[in-house]
């Protein structure tokens, strides 16, 4: 980072200058000049790289927040509609946590034996029990882009499930002088990175123990291959390979971030079964790993209420998805336990970040503390013409069941619960919160512990919490992952917290390096960094920054495009005389208000706005010049179109939730219900006619059902400037 | 006189905006504070070309009591002064060319990596090995590994938009 100043004083060793035939003073002056010039150039690049990074990260976290909002909305529907509600029926199955069947019955369901392997199959054949040779063969096969047959997938996963059920919540590992432990962070389906780690570091074995700290899946294209490899090694070396659960080892999150789609795409016939089995496996993954009772490794982090004794005792498999507590009752306020520290002098979480009610932390007290306007679930602007008012409907139904309170208040209290069920719910809530905190939290520089409203789950915890929790458990270091770091790793909190991230080029080719840790009995971490992809290594510094930057700007232009109407409205507010022009400062202001990504717009301005006249922006022209194309289909209703772009991920998530048999197809009726759900979430109105027209125009096969993938593909935004 | 004063105010206001924008990029917690180690990058990115020694001095001026952090309250006035007084002006291209030609004793039109390395790591305000490696990757021609300084100077020169 930066220029490396301060590392040495200017040297004037005259005696060293033997071979220079140039007057010494002149050479020194020349060198000084060139050094100054070059350091300035590097700093400019660093500034651009920093801005690019901010763009990717903001968009990523905004997406996560979006997901939580959607999920909270579903939760609300579940809790507060009468059972007859049709929307509720569509989504209730994802909240069904009471498994009626016992494990033995599930075993029969997941049985691989009926799956035949045809002679035409050219992929690897596995034999069980797994051996080192077997897994190595698997690694080789995946390196050569082969696919494992569903029979073997089910068999391997079945064995894994059986093993995980006997593992404790916290893995305990001991170091010894002859073998170091290797610790890896997020992999996110990046098979190249896992292969690179194995190449540099060696395969797992009893001489080479490994800890993998969660987030093996989603985003990358080879999530399943990574899982199969990690599970394979786990089966062969159960005492030397340790897996921690990450926030992406969660079937609800997978619906949105690509893993579900990947599995269904690769296994058309058995995908659904594989996904169900994985759902169970994820819930059985251990939550943490402890080295020598001194170093704690968890995926996200901690909070001020973290208690390892509690964690050690929970029935971790009850928490199939971290996004939903085990009992669908009230979300009690854990008011006294959470320190809501709003350090206004430091600013805390004020600033450009969007905020939303998080999963575990509620309470109307919070509403008063944060001054800047924010888009919370309660304050979404209502569409002016509402035929079907969600608010009215909710009020009506609440009155039916005896509630007459606002959403926020309802979340605080539950008059219907009897004391006993309340108590068990309370215990579950506490356990659930501990788990969510462990999987979702991020460190912050300020003291205290506040809800992580950027992601929507877990906390932001400060150095004081680190000291307290580590002290209480007699630990010396916390290793976690969950956040992408430019150099693959980063210390914070006086080097008591270490973030390790193993997916290189996470945002884009050249965006960041990955890293892993080697640790011996001295418990001092040593880092090995890398960057997968031959392409990125050959790029010069300038090219690498340029590439990543172009990609980030593309993503950003997409975001700007989908918020077209909101942006124009915001710009027009600064242009009361309708001149069509606004100042750059107003442009930056308006853009931040609409997008709420917390980006340094003034710095980005030169990349996004090409045409200014005397410091003024012609905003209509600028929007037109964003060069993002629209689909070729004739959709006359532009507001639906815009809703679709803005809520691309939400739409897809809802589709996949509704598609209970994972066929990839939904009926017209289900399509209509999806839109109704989405619109009630957004507090918007949409007429049945509009939906029908939309459905008909995209029924590509004309057979009455809609292919989810085709639909999402048709509305994927294409950046026209990509080829310039 | 009044007009002059007004235009001066506008200029200062513009300068403030530029400084804030650059500062913001490193203000990770949105609390108007940046790590002191980023100040160099910020100062450079605002179009300044200080010596390392100058940077040292500037940072000790604006840092909060050796905390390792710099607050915008101190940075803004100090940086404004630097920009208004053109304290660390850019290096004219012809001067830069002369500097390279001084090092190119044989007047080849390019420098060999070894030549450049020797000067960059031993003279003036020396580079670290890491900085040197990065420089060679950035500047050296891929095929012949030569540093064609004439072309580089025009390619990498200051961004006029700053």
């Amino acid at each position: 980072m930066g220029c490396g100043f301060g590392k040495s004083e200017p040297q004037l060793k005259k005696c060293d200058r033997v071979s220079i035939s140039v007057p010494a003073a002149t050479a020194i002056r020349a060198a000084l000049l060139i050094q100054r010039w070059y350091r300035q150039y590097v700093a400019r690049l660093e500034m651009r790289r920093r801005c690019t990074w901010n763009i990717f990260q903001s968009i990523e976290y905004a997406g996560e927040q979006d997901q939580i909002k959607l999920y909270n909305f579903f939760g609300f529907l579940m809790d507060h509609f009468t059972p007859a509600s049709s929307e509720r029926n569509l989504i209730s199955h994802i909240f069904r946590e009471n498994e009626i069947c016992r494990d033995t019955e599930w075993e029969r369901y997941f049985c691989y034996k009926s799956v035949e392997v045809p002679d035409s199959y050219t992929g690897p054949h596995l034999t069980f029990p797994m051996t080192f040779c077997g897994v190595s063969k698997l690694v080789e096969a995946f390196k050569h882009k082969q696919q494992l047959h569903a029979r073997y997938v089910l068999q391997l996963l079945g064995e894994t499930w059986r093993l995980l059920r006997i593992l404790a919540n916290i893995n305990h590992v001991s170091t010894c002088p002859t073998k170091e432990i290797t610790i890896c962070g997020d992999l996110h389906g990046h098979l190249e990175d896992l292969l690179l780690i194995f190449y540099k570091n060696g395969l797992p074995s009893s001489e080479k123990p490994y800890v993998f700290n969660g987030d093996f899946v989603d985003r990358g294209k080879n999530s399943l291959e990574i899982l199969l490899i990690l599970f394979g090694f786990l089966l062969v070396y159960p005492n030397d390979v340790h897996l921690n659960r990450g926030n992406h080892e969660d079937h609800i999150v997978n619906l949105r971030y690509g893993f579900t789609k990947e599995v269904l795409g690769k296994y058309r016939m058995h995908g659904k079964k594989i996904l169900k089995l994985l759902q169970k496996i994820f819930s059985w993954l251990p939550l943490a790993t402890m080295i020598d009772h001194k170093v704690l490794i968890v995926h996200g982090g901690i909070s001020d209420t973290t208690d390892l004794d509690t964690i050690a005792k929970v029935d971790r498999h009850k928490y199939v998805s971290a996004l939903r507590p085990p009992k669908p009752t009230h979300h009690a306020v854990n008011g006294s336990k959470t320190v809501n520290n709003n350090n206004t002098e430091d600013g805390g979480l004020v600033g450009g970040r969007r905020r939303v009610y998080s999963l575990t932390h509620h309470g109307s007290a919070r509403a008063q503390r944060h001054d800047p306007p924010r888009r919370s679930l309660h304050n979404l602007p209502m569409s002016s013409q509402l035929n079907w008012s969600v608010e009215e409907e909710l009020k009506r139904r609440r009155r039916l069941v005896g509630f007459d309170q606002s959403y926020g208040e309802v979340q605080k209290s539950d008059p219907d619960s009897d004391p006993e069920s309340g108590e068990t719910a309370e215990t579950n809530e506490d356990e659930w919160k501990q788990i969510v905190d462990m999987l979702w939290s991020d460190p912050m520089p300020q003291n205290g512990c506040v809800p992580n409203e950027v992601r929507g789950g877990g906390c932001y915890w400060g150095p004081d919490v680190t000291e307290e929790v580590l002290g209480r458990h007699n630990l010396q270091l916390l290793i976690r992952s969950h956040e992408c770091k430019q150099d693959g790793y980063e210390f914070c909190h006086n080097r008591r917290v270490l973030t390790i991230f193993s997916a290189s080029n996470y945002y884009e080719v050249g965006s960041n390096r990955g890293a892993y840790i080697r640790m011996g009995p001295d418990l001092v971490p040593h880092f090995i960094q890398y960057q997968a992809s031959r392409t990125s290594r050959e790029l010069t510094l300038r090219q690498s920054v340029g590439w990543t930057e172009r990609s980030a700007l593309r993503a950003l232009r997409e975001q700007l495009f989908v918020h077209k109407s909101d942006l124009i409205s915001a710009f027009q507010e600064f242009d009361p005389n309708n001149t069509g022009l606004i100042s750059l400062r107003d442009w930056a202001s308006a853009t931040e208000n609409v997008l709420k990504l917390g980006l340094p717009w003034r710095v980005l301005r030169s990349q996004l706005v090409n045409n200014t006249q005397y410091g003024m922006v012609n905003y209509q022209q600028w929007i037109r010049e964003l060069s993002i194309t629209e689909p070729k289909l004739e959709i006359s209703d532009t507001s639906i179109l815009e809703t679709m772009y803005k809520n691309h991920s939400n739409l897809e998530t809802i589709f996949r939730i509704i598609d209970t048999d994972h066929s990839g197809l939904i009926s017209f009726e289900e399509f209509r219900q999806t839109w109704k759900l989405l619109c009630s979430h957004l507090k918007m109105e949409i007429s049945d006619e509009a939906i029908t027209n939309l459905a008909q125009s995209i029924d590509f096969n004309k057979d009455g059902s809609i292919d989810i993938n085709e639909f999402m593909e048709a509305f994927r935004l294409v950046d026209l400037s990509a080829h310039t | 006189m009044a007009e002059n004063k007004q235009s001066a105010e506008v200029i200062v206001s513009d300068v403030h905006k530029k400084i804030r924008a650059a500062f913001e990029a490193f203000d990770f917690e949105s609390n108007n504070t940046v790590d002191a180690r980023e100040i160099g990058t910020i100062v450079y990115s605002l179009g300044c070309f200080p010596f390392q020694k100058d940077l040292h001095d500037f940072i000790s001026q604006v840092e909060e009591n050796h905390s390792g952090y710099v607050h915008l309250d101190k940075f803004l006035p100090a940086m404004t002064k630097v920009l208004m007084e053109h304290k660390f002006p850019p290096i004219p291209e012809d001067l830069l060319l002369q500097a390279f030609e001084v090092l190119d004793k044989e007047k080849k039109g390019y420098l060999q990596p070894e030549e450049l390395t020797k000067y960059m790591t031993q003279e003036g305000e020396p580079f670290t090995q890491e900085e040197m490696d990065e420089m060679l990757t950035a500047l050296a021609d891929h095929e012949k590994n030569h540093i064609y300084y004439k072309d580089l100077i025009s390619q990498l020169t200051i961004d006029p938009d700053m």
Side-chain angles (χ1 to χ4, degrees):
Chain A
M1 136 180 108
C3 24
F5 63 85
K7 297 212 171 113
S8 54
E9 311 272 325
Q11 307 286 340
L12 284 169
K13 295 188 200 140
K14 288 202 171 90
C15 47
D16 284 347
R17 226 155 298 115
V18 178
S19 53
I20 300 175
S21 54
V22 166
T26 321
I28 297 174
R29 275 205 303 277
L32 279 169
L33 210 69
I34 295 170
Q35 284 159 346
R36 252 196 313 148
W37 165 77
Y38 180 73
R39 281 175 167 136
Q40 200 266 2
Y41 161 69
V42 168
R44 274 191 290 127
L45 275 186
E46 178 55 31
M47 179 62 91
R48 281 168 62 189
R49 200 208 312 253
R50 168 50 47 191
C51 289
T52 304
W53 187 268
N54 286 346
I55 295 174
F56 278 126
Q57 198 165 63
S58 297
I59 294 180
E60 175 184 11
Y61 291 163
E64 287 189 351
Q65 209 190 76
D66 230 14
Q67 161 115 29
I68 301 295
K69 267 204 275 192
L70 185 68
Y71 210 73
N72 280 351
F73 172 69
F74 288 159
F76 179 69
L77 276 185
M78 290 300 299
D79 291 345
H80 299 111
F81 274 80
T82 54
S85 153
S86 57
E87 286 90 12
R88 195 174 189 273
N89 288 340
L90 277 180
I91 57 173
S92 60
H93 66 275
I94 59 172
F95 296 102
R96 203 179 303 127
E97 76 291 322
N98 296 320
E99 309 283 32
I100 307 158
C101 311
R102 304 193 49 122
D103 281 345
T104 43
E105 291 175 29
W106 280 115
E107 295 225 10
R108 228 175 296 137
Y109 171 68
F110 293 132
C111 191
Y112 63 93
K113 293 186 179 142
S114 55
V115 182
E116 297 273 329
V117 182
D119 292 329
S120 54
Y121 172 69
T122 53
H125 295 267
L126 297 181
T127 55
F128 289 82
M130 275 301 259
T131 60
F132 180 74
C133 288
V135 201
S136 321
K137 210 169 41 164
L138 195 60
V139 176
E140 277 308 303
F142 288 152
K143 217 186 273 187
H144 294 105
K145 316 233 188 280
Q146 294 175 349
Q147 183 167 308
L148 185 65
H149 194 273
R151 176 195 176 95
Y152 299 127
V153 173
L154 286 168
Q155 200 171 1
L156 201 160
L157 293 181
E159 291 297 312
T160 306
W161 182 36
R162 244 163 263 130
L163 170 59
L164 288 175
R165 291 199 309 242
I166 60 177
L167 293 182
N169 296 341
I170 303 180
N171 301 311
H172 282 275
V173 190
S174 306
T175 56
C176 76
T178 52
K179 55 183 185 181
E180 289 192 325
I181 298 179
T182 308
I183 303 161
C184 299
D186 293 29
L187 288 166
H188 278 300
H190 286 216
L191 185 59
E192 333 76 72
D193 286 309
L194 184 60
L195 295 176
L196 192 54
I197 295 173
F198 285 163
Y199 175 71
K200 289 168 91 77
N201 196 55
L203 295 173
S205 69
S206 27
E207 272 68 55
K208 195 150 288 191
Y210 270 81
V211 178
F212 292 95
N213 199 14
D215 275 13
F216 320 120
V217 303
D218 278 332
R219 297 208 168 96
K221 309 182 288 131
N222 297 104
S223 300
L224 189 57
E225 283 74 23
I226 289 193
L227 279 185
L228 294 170
I229 291 175
L230 295 184
F231 292 157
F233 279 113
L234 177 69
L235 288 172
V236 181
Y237 301 109
N239 295 316
D240 302 293
V241 172
H242 307 278
L243 306 179
N244 286 345
R245 188 176 184 185
N247 63 309
H248 277 261
E249 274 70 57
D250 183 325
H251 71 288
I252 305 286
V253 177
N254 299 149
L255 283 170
R256 189 191 187 95
Y257 287 102
F259 182 48
T260 308
K261 188 170 168 179
E262 179 190 322
V263 173
L264 294 174
K266 288 176 177 168
Y267 294 93
R268 295 197 174 267
M269 230 171 64
H270 298 97
K272 182 187 170 192
K273 210 178 264 193
I274 293 174
L275 285 172
K276 191 70 192 169
L277 184 44
L278 280 168
Q279 202 178 310
K280 297 195 160 304
I281 287 178
F282 286 164
S283 73
W284 275 106
L285 283 170
L287 299 170
T289 299
M290 181 85 83
I291 302 182
D292 289 348
H293 297 282
K294 283 276 158 218
V295 177
L296 178 65
I297 310 176
V298 294
H299 174 74
I302 55 175
S303 75
D304 52 354
T305 59
T306 295
D307 178 37
L308 292 180
D309 290 332
T310 308
I311 296 280
K313 291 194 214 117
V314 303
D315 279 335
R316 67 181 188 273
H317 70 103
K318 284 198 308 194
Y319 303 89
V320 177
S321 166
L323 295 187
R324 188 72 190 168
K327 271 185 188 273
T329 53
H330 62 290
H331 300 276
V333 173
N334 295 321
S336 50
K337 284 189 178 175
T338 310
V339 178
N340 267 337
N341 208 340
N342 190 29
N343 300 326
T344 40
E345 330 97 54
D346 303 68
L349 291 172
V350 193
R353 287 194 179 132
R354 280 162 43 162
R355 284 182 248 109
V356 73
Y357 268 67
S358 72
L359 294 167
T360 51
H361 299 262
H362 305 284
S364 57
R366 308 211 73 254
Q368 295 150 5
R369 253 192 271 253
H370 297 282
D371 303 313
R374 72 198 195 285
R375 297 186 109 194
S376 79
L377 210 53
H378 322 321
N379 300 334
L380 284 175
M382 304 269 269
S383 159
S384 47
Q385 320 104 321
L386 273 176
N387 287 338
W388 172 49
S389 163
V390 180
E391 262 301 302
E392 282 168 350
E393 178 76 339
L394 290 178
K395 274 201 195 140
R396 185 179 76 82
R397 293 185 189 235
R398 264 182 241 124
R399 259 179 266 125
L400 283 176
V401 288
F403 291 115
D404 209 354
Q405 300 150 309
S406 70
Y407 179 26
E409 287 171 340
V410 162
Q411 289 191 300
K412 264 198 327 198
S413 65
D414 189 350
D416 283 349
S417 68
D418 68 63
E420 251 188 276
S421 76
E423 224 176 275
T424 32
E426 198 74 32
T427 317
N428 284 341
E429 287 278 335
D430 181 51
E431 286 179 356
W432 175 62
K433 178 190 184 302
Q434 295 254 348
I435 294 179
V436 173
D437 286 344
M438 215 165 233
L439 265 40
W440 282 80
S441 299
D442 291 313
M444 65 174 177
Q446 303 93 341
N447 280 336
C449 189
V450 295
N452 188 331
E453 288 179 308
V454 172
R455 291 198 198 249
C459 302
Y460 279 117
W461 87 89
D464 56 339
V465 177
T466 296
E467 285 309 312
E468 195 277 311
V469 172
L470 291 186
R472 190 164 17 102
H473 295 99
N474 214 353
L475 304 169
Q476 70 187 46
L477 177 65
L478 171 66
I479 299 179
R480 43 90 63 176
S481 303
H482 199 39
E483 284 179 300
C484 183
K485 296 294 176 192
Q486 201 158 299
D487 291 314
Y489 73 94
E490 192 176 273
F491 277 106
C492 67
H493 294 188
N494 295 322
R495 294 179 78 91
R496 297 272 267 168
V497 175
L498 170 58
T499 302
I500 184 75
F501 196 86
S502 301
S504 68
N505 304 323
Y506 180 61
Y507 290 126
E508 177 52 82
V509 172
S511 68
N512 66 289
R513 290 193 278 185
Y516 60 90
I517 300 169
R518 301 261 312 184
M519 188 178 268
D522 60 358
L523 301 182
V524 172
H526 300 277
F527 306 98
I528 297 89
Q529 297 160 299
Y530 52 85
Q531 199 153 16
S533 154
R534 221 168 294 144
T535 334
S536 67
R537 262 182 268 122
E538 277 170 8
L539 291 177
T540 64
L541 182 61
R542 190 164 101 240
Q543 284 171 327
S544 162
V545 171
W547 190 309
T548 319
E549 191 177 51
R550 271 194 292 281
S551 181
L553 290 172
R554 238 195 322 274
L556 197 51
R557 276 205 298 275
E558 257 180 43
Q559 289 295 308
L560 292 167
F561 178 78
V562 303
H563 287 94
K564 232 174 16 175
S565 352
D566 290 340
L567 280 171
I568 293 194
S569 309
F571 292 148
Q572 278 167 343
E573 275 184 44
F574 284 107
D575 181 22
N577 300 326
N578 247 326
T579 61
L581 299 171
I582 52 171
S583 72
L584 283 168
R585 175 201 194 153
D586 291 339
W587 172 86
S589 222
T591 307
E592 176 52 28
N593 283 338
V594 171
L595 254 55
K596 295 197 196 325
L597 286 174
L599 292 173
W601 294 102
R602 275 188 270 276
V603 179
L604 291 170
R605 198 242 345 126
S606 57
Q607 313 272 29
L608 295 170
V609 183
N610 295 322
N611 228 340
T612 58
Q613 309 159 274
Y614 312 109
M616 302 292 275
V617 183
N618 179 334
Y619 50 90
Q620 299 277 9
Q621 191 187 3
W622 174 67
I623 295 239
R624 277 197 302 271
E625 285 174 354
L626 282 174
S627 333
I628 309 281
T629 195
E630 302 187 28
K632 300 178 186 67
L633 299 169
E634 297 295 308
I635 311 281
S636 50
D637 193 328
T638 50
S639 71
I640 285 192
L641 207 59
E642 193 163 304
T643 305
M644 207 137 47
Y645 289 135
K646 256 198 246 188
N647 294 280
H648 205 256
S649 292
N650 279 342
L651 251 185
E652 183 162 1
T653 306
I654 302 177
F655 279 146
R656 294 202 185 279
I657 292 176
I658 287 178
D659 177 24
T660 48
D661 62 358
H662 290 308
S663 61
L665 301 169
I666 55 175
S667 68
F668 269 150
E669 182 53 28
E670 288 169 332
F671 181 77
R672 200 182 69 83
Q673 296 285 21
T674 304
W675 274 97
K676 283 268 188 235
L677 258 176
L678 180 65
C679 290
S680 68
H681 169 50
L682 301 174
K683 301 206 177 166
M684 271 177 60
E685 176 228 352
I686 180 168
S687 68
D688 279 350
E689 192 192 335
I691 299 179
T692 311
N693 287 340
L694 183 60
Q696 278 170 353
S697 64
I698 53 164
D699 178 13
F700 307 109
N701 305 326
K702 303 282 174 252
D703 62 355
S705 67
I706 293 161
D707 184 317
I708 300 175
N709 286 333
E710 272 184 45
F711 178 79
M712 299 314 301
E713 202 39 49
F715 292 99
R716 194 166 60 86
L717 292 175
V718 176
D719 186 354
L720 287 176
S721 68
H723 302 289
T724 54
Chain B
M1 278 315 277
E3 283 134 3
N4 280 351
K5 190 178 180 208
Q6 196 171 38
S7 65
E9 275 169 13
V10 167
I11 292 173
V12 169
S13 155
D14 270 340
V15 164
H16 278 181
K17 271 187 241 171
K18 278 205 184 94
I19 295 174
R20 275 182 216 276
F23 193 87
E24 243 172 63
F26 289 94
D27 178 13
F28 302 137
E29 313 313 319
S30 304
N31 57 0
N32 289 333
T33 312
V34 306
D35 189 321
R37 289 167 294 182
E38 312 274 23
I39 294 296
T41 308
I42 297 175
V43 172
Y44 280 128
S45 76
L46 288 166
C48 300
F49 288 75
F51 289 99
Q52 298 289 279
K53 185 171 58 72
D54 300 322
L55 263 180
H56 264 303
D57 295 339
F58 182 73
I59 291 173
S60 36
Q61 225 188 304
V62 294
E63 190 181 342
E64 296 284 332
N65 311 326
H66 310 291
S67 63
Y69 287 99
V70 173
H71 201 278
L72 184 61
D73 293 344
K74 268 200 183 157
F75 184 75
L76 189 61
M79 194 65 221
T80 306
K81 192 156 185 279
V82 163
L83 289 180
M84 297 299 281
E85 293 174 7
H86 303 287
K87 247 183 156 175
F88 309 122
I91 301 167
E93 280 189 36
D94 51 348
L95 213 60
L96 197 52
L97 184 60
Q98 274 180 46
F100 274 107
E101 283 171 349
V102 160
L103 302 187
D104 181 16
K105 299 167 280 178
E106 297 148 31
K107 309 291 166 229
K108 310 185 290 296
Y110 60 85
L111 284 172
Q112 303 274 26
E114 308 79 51
E115 286 180 278
L116 188 59
T117 304
K118 186 174 66 181
Y119 285 112
M120 294 295 101
T121 57
Q122 290 179 15
E123 306 291 352
E125 291 174 325
F127 280 176
T128 62
Q129 189 54 48
E130 199 187 328
E131 277 180 296
M132 195 62 233
D133 292 340
E134 217 173 55
M135 187 187 206
L136 290 176
T137 323
L139 303 189
D141 173 82
H142 266 182
E143 294 164 42
K144 304 208 195 99
N145 219 21
H146 294 164
I147 293 131
Y148 293 96
Y149 47 84
K150 249 198 194 153
D151 299 328
L152 287 171
I153 291 172
S154 43
Q155 276 177 38
L156 305 187
T157 208
I158 185 173
D159 183 347
D161 209 353
M162 270 333 246

